[in-house]
Amino acid sequence: INVIVFLLTVQSSKSFLRSARPRHNSLKVVGSVVFPVKVYVKLNHSSPRILCVTNHLRNLELIDPTFQWNGPGGGLSSENSSVQISPTGTLILRHFNLSGVYTCSIVYKLTAMQLDRNLVIKYLIYAYSDPKNYYEFTARYHAAPCNSSHNTSFEKTLLKMLRKLVAELSYEVTLIKSECHHVKMQRGGIQNEIFFTFSVASLDREKQNRQCQQSACDASHRLNKAKHLIERFFKQQVESRRKSSEPLPEIYYIEGTLQRVWVDRCYPGYGMNALIHPNCPECCVVCSPGSYNPSNGTHCLRCDSSLIYGATKC
């Protein structure tokens, strides 16, 4: 039986947010001699307890058992601070980042008079990370002539205001593109419009750890709050303009043009693949040999010359 351990607790919402809360103490992985057992371990976290037995051997008394674990880098020993092996052969990998094939060789007897038996159990242990989730917004503004410096000045002011809105949430606003176009209105003339596209994403993990505090760091809470702040910002522009008796300014937000899309991205060297990893379909799993991901895409691309896990180039 091919046993797959899924270490991701998925919290679904309309925006499909995910968060991982593995409970390592309660998880035990049993091996198989038929197929390699797949195990998913969150990057830089500890693995579950990986047993050097099969389901059959778990129900037997083993006399004088000895265990030897090997990983991608060679033999494993508890002398390494990132490896813990119990007297019964149970393996725990700490601060995990070395994906690949792990094998355990168990030598044992079923009776004192029998000859030694040898069994090799193989595991495929994959590092995974949570997807980098963010929103991508588009908005349109009535603009000054497209070659006007007023548009450039306004763009800088708008970005500064948006960034200030979400800064306390450890989120950042990044301009993806800003384009000025001539738009022919229905039954009207031509007007200048700026098409803004910007992302609202969490700061990188090092900055985030320094800035956000405990429960306030929950990704779903912070991202939803950032989304609401952005949407309210544009709504207030419309409301204040309606209340004002002043003539329209040269540059103003066009009501109803704010759009947002949900974006998933994986870090380089990681990708999503529900066919290869059916029990971890929404995880960013390390790219296996024969594939790579050079950028913040969502999939590992094929590369026959790639021989390592987590390749970022072909």
Side-chain angles (χ1 to χ4, degrees), residues 88-118:
T88 57
T90 298
L91 171 70
I92 296 178
L93 299 167
R94 304 189 184 281
H95 314 293
F96 182 73
N97 62 11
L98 188 59
S99 301
V101 176
Y102 287 74
T103 60
C104 181
S105 176
I106 175 173
V107 178
Y108 64 95
K109 296 176 183 178
L110 293 178
T111 68
M113 302 300 294
Q114 279 188 344
L115 296 174
D116 287 343
R117 296 188 179 189
N118 184 27

Short mmCIF file of all heavy atoms in Angstrom, two decimals, residues 88-118:
data_model
loop_
_atom_site.label_atom_id
_atom_site.label_comp_id
_atom_site.label_asym_id
_atom_site.label_seq_id
_atom_site.Cartn_x
_atom_site.Cartn_y
_atom_site.Cartn_z
N THR A 88 14.31 2.51 18.77
CA THR A 88 13.45 1.62 17.98
C THR A 88 13.48 1.97 16.49
O THR A 88 12.66 1.47 15.72
CB THR A 88 12.00 1.68 18.50
OG1 THR A 88 11.54 3.04 18.44
CG2 THR A 88 11.91 1.17 19.92
N GLY A 89 14.39 2.88 16.09
CA GLY A 89 14.56 3.19 14.67
C GLY A 89 13.66 4.28 14.13
O GLY A 89 13.66 4.54 12.92
N THR A 90 12.91 4.94 15.00
CA THR A 90 12.02 6.02 14.54
C THR A 90 12.83 7.27 14.22
O THR A 90 13.65 7.72 15.03
CB THR A 90 10.96 6.34 15.60
OG1 THR A 90 10.16 5.18 15.81
CG2 THR A 90 10.07 7.50 15.15
N LEU A 91 12.58 7.84 13.04
CA LEU A 91 13.33 9.00 12.57
C LEU A 91 12.48 10.27 12.65
O LEU A 91 11.32 10.27 12.25
CB LEU A 91 13.76 8.77 11.11
CG LEU A 91 14.40 9.96 10.37
CD1 LEU A 91 15.78 10.28 10.92
CD2 LEU A 91 14.47 9.67 8.87
N ILE A 92 13.10 11.34 13.16
CA ILE A 92 12.50 12.68 13.09
C ILE A 92 13.55 13.61 12.49
O ILE A 92 14.69 13.65 12.94
CB ILE A 92 12.07 13.20 14.47
CG1 ILE A 92 10.98 12.32 15.07
CG2 ILE A 92 11.58 14.65 14.36
CD1 ILE A 92 10.54 12.74 16.47
N LEU A 93 13.16 14.31 11.44
CA LEU A 93 14.05 15.26 10.78
C LEU A 93 13.66 16.67 11.23
O LEU A 93 12.50 17.07 11.10
CB LEU A 93 13.93 15.14 9.26
CG LEU A 93 14.30 13.77 8.68
CD1 LEU A 93 13.85 13.66 7.23
CD2 LEU A 93 15.81 13.53 8.79
N ARG A 94 14.62 17.41 11.74
CA ARG A 94 14.34 18.76 12.24
C ARG A 94 14.85 19.80 11.25
O ARG A 94 15.84 19.57 10.55
CB ARG A 94 14.99 18.96 13.61
CG ARG A 94 14.55 17.92 14.64
CD ARG A 94 15.01 18.28 16.04
NE ARG A 94 14.67 17.24 17.00
CZ ARG A 94 13.46 17.08 17.53
NH1 ARG A 94 12.48 17.88 17.17
NH2 ARG A 94 13.24 16.11 18.41
N HIS A 95 14.18 20.96 11.21
CA HIS A 95 14.56 22.05 10.29
C HIS A 95 14.72 21.50 8.88
O HIS A 95 15.70 21.78 8.19
CB HIS A 95 15.86 22.73 10.75
CG HIS A 95 15.90 23.04 12.21
ND1 HIS A 95 15.06 23.98 12.78
CD2 HIS A 95 16.64 22.53 13.23
CE1 HIS A 95 15.31 24.04 14.09
NE2 HIS A 95 16.25 23.17 14.38
N PHE A 96 13.73 20.75 8.43
CA PHE A 96 13.86 19.97 7.20
C PHE A 96 14.01 20.83 5.96
O PHE A 96 13.26 21.77 5.74
CB PHE A 96 12.64 19.06 7.05
CG PHE A 96 12.69 18.18 5.83
CD1 PHE A 96 13.55 17.10 5.79
CD2 PHE A 96 11.92 18.45 4.72
CE1 PHE A 96 13.61 16.28 4.67
CE2 PHE A 96 11.96 17.65 3.60
CZ PHE A 96 12.82 16.55 3.57
N ASN A 97 15.00 20.50 5.13
CA ASN A 97 15.16 21.18 3.83
C ASN A 97 15.82 20.31 2.77
O ASN A 97 16.05 20.77 1.66
CB ASN A 97 15.96 22.48 4.00
CG ASN A 97 17.37 22.23 4.51
OD1 ASN A 97 17.83 21.09 4.57
ND2 ASN A 97 18.05 23.29 4.90
N LEU A 98 16.12 19.04 3.11
CA LEU A 98 16.81 18.17 2.16
C LEU A 98 15.85 17.10 1.65
O LEU A 98 15.73 16.01 2.23
CB LEU A 98 18.05 17.53 2.80
CG LEU A 98 18.96 16.73 1.86
CD1 LEU A 98 19.50 17.62 0.73
CD2 LEU A 98 20.12 16.11 2.64
N SER A 99 15.16 17.40 0.56
CA SER A 99 14.19 16.45 -0.01
C SER A 99 14.92 15.33 -0.74
O SER A 99 16.04 15.49 -1.21
CB SER A 99 13.27 17.18 -0.98
OG SER A 99 12.57 18.21 -0.35
N GLY A 100 14.23 14.21 -0.87
CA GLY A 100 14.81 13.11 -1.63
C GLY A 100 14.41 11.75 -1.09
O GLY A 100 13.44 11.61 -0.34
N VAL A 101 15.20 10.74 -1.46
CA VAL A 101 14.94 9.35 -1.06
C VAL A 101 15.63 9.07 0.27
O VAL A 101 16.82 9.31 0.44
CB VAL A 101 15.45 8.38 -2.13
CG1 VAL A 101 15.25 6.93 -1.67
CG2 VAL A 101 14.74 8.62 -3.46
N TYR A 102 14.86 8.58 1.22
CA TYR A 102 15.38 8.15 2.52
C TYR A 102 15.08 6.66 2.68
O TYR A 102 13.97 6.22 2.38
CB TYR A 102 14.73 8.92 3.66
CG TYR A 102 15.21 10.36 3.77
CD1 TYR A 102 14.80 11.33 2.86
CD2 TYR A 102 16.07 10.75 4.80
CE1 TYR A 102 15.25 12.64 2.95
CE2 TYR A 102 16.52 12.06 4.90
CZ TYR A 102 16.10 13.00 3.98
OH TYR A 102 16.54 14.29 4.07
N THR A 103 16.07 5.90 3.11
CA THR A 103 15.86 4.47 3.28
C THR A 103 16.26 4.04 4.68
O THR A 103 17.18 4.62 5.29
CB THR A 103 16.68 3.64 2.27
OG1 THR A 103 18.08 3.92 2.45
CG2 THR A 103 16.27 3.95 0.85
N CYS A 104 15.56 3.05 5.17
CA CYS A 104 15.91 2.46 6.46
C CYS A 104 16.12 0.96 6.25
O CYS A 104 15.26 0.28 5.69
CB CYS A 104 14.82 2.69 7.49
SG CYS A 104 15.25 1.98 9.10
N SER A 105 17.25 0.49 6.69
CA SER A 105 17.54 -0.94 6.64
C SER A 105 17.37 -1.51 8.05
O SER A 105 17.99 -1.04 9.00
CB SER A 105 18.97 -1.17 6.15
OG SER A 105 19.29 -2.54 6.20
N ILE A 106 16.49 -2.50 8.18
CA ILE A 106 16.26 -3.13 9.47
C ILE A 106 16.72 -4.59 9.41
O ILE A 106 16.37 -5.33 8.48
CB ILE A 106 14.78 -3.04 9.89
CG1 ILE A 106 14.54 -3.82 11.19
CG2 ILE A 106 13.84 -3.50 8.79
CD1 ILE A 106 13.14 -3.65 11.76
N VAL A 107 17.54 -4.98 10.35
CA VAL A 107 18.01 -6.36 10.47
C VAL A 107 17.39 -6.92 11.76
O VAL A 107 17.49 -6.29 12.82
CB VAL A 107 19.54 -6.44 10.53
CG1 VAL A 107 19.98 -7.89 10.70
CG2 VAL A 107 20.15 -5.83 9.27
N TYR A 108 16.76 -8.10 11.69
CA TYR A 108 16.04 -8.61 12.85
C TYR A 108 15.89 -10.13 12.74
O TYR A 108 16.16 -10.74 11.70
CB TYR A 108 14.65 -7.98 12.92
CG TYR A 108 13.76 -8.34 11.75
CD1 TYR A 108 12.85 -9.41 11.83
CD2 TYR A 108 13.85 -7.67 10.53
CE1 TYR A 108 12.05 -9.75 10.75
CE2 TYR A 108 13.06 -8.00 9.45
CZ TYR A 108 12.16 -9.04 9.57
OH TYR A 108 11.39 -9.41 8.50
N LYS A 109 15.44 -10.73 13.86
CA LYS A 109 15.07 -12.14 13.90
C LYS A 109 13.66 -12.25 14.47
O LYS A 109 13.26 -11.43 15.31
CB LYS A 109 16.02 -12.93 14.80
CG LYS A 109 17.46 -12.97 14.33
CD LYS A 109 18.32 -13.69 15.36
CE LYS A 109 19.79 -13.70 14.96
NZ LYS A 109 20.63 -14.35 15.99
N LEU A 110 12.94 -13.27 14.03
CA LEU A 110 11.62 -13.52 14.60
C LEU A 110 11.71 -14.52 15.76
O LEU A 110 10.87 -14.51 16.65
CB LEU A 110 10.67 -14.05 13.53
CG LEU A 110 10.31 -13.04 12.43
CD1 LEU A 110 9.39 -13.67 11.40
CD2 LEU A 110 9.65 -11.79 13.03
N THR A 111 12.74 -15.38 15.73
CA THR A 111 13.05 -16.26 16.87
C THR A 111 14.55 -16.26 17.06
O THR A 111 15.32 -15.95 16.14
CB THR A 111 12.58 -17.71 16.61
OG1 THR A 111 13.37 -18.28 15.55
CG2 THR A 111 11.11 -17.76 16.25
N ALA A 112 14.97 -16.59 18.26
CA ALA A 112 16.40 -16.53 18.57
C ALA A 112 17.20 -17.51 17.74
O ALA A 112 18.41 -17.31 17.52
CB ALA A 112 16.61 -16.81 20.06
N MET A 113 16.57 -18.56 17.23
CA MET A 113 17.28 -19.59 16.50
C MET A 113 17.37 -19.28 15.00
O MET A 113 18.12 -19.92 14.27
CB MET A 113 16.58 -20.95 16.70
CG MET A 113 16.48 -21.38 18.14
SD MET A 113 18.11 -21.55 18.92
CE MET A 113 18.77 -22.93 17.99
N GLN A 114 16.60 -18.32 14.53
CA GLN A 114 16.58 -18.03 13.11
C GLN A 114 17.79 -17.21 12.68
O GLN A 114 18.46 -16.56 13.49
CB GLN A 114 15.30 -17.24 12.75
CG GLN A 114 14.07 -18.08 12.57
CD GLN A 114 12.92 -17.23 12.03
OE1 GLN A 114 12.96 -16.00 12.06
NE2 GLN A 114 11.88 -17.90 11.53
N LEU A 115 18.04 -17.24 11.37
CA LEU A 115 19.06 -16.36 10.81
C LEU A 115 18.50 -14.94 10.71
O LEU A 115 17.29 -14.73 10.72
CB LEU A 115 19.47 -16.86 9.41
CG LEU A 115 20.15 -18.23 9.34
CD1 LEU A 115 20.35 -18.62 7.87
CD2 LEU A 115 21.47 -18.21 10.09
N ASP A 116 19.43 -14.00 10.62
CA ASP A 116 19.01 -12.60 10.49
C ASP A 116 18.22 -12.39 9.20
O ASP A 116 18.52 -12.98 8.15
CB ASP A 116 20.23 -11.68 10.46
CG ASP A 116 20.87 -11.54 11.83
OD1 ASP A 116 20.21 -11.89 12.83
OD2 ASP A 116 22.03 -11.09 11.89
N ARG A 117 17.21 -11.53 9.31
CA ARG A 117 16.46 -11.09 8.14
C ARG A 117 16.77 -9.60 7.90
O ARG A 117 16.97 -8.84 8.85
CB ARG A 117 14.96 -11.26 8.34
CG ARG A 117 14.55 -12.71 8.50
CD ARG A 117 13.03 -12.83 8.49
NE ARG A 117 12.59 -14.21 8.62
CZ ARG A 117 11.34 -14.61 8.46
NH1 ARG A 117 10.39 -13.73 8.17
NH2 ARG A 117 11.01 -15.89 8.61
N ASN A 118 16.79 -9.23 6.65
CA ASN A 118 17.10 -7.84 6.29
C ASN A 118 15.99 -7.28 5.42
O ASN A 118 15.56 -7.92 4.47
CB ASN A 118 18.44 -7.77 5.55
CG ASN A 118 18.84 -6.33 5.27
OD1 ASN A 118 18.45 -5.42 5.98
ND2 ASN A 118 19.60 -6.12 4.21
#
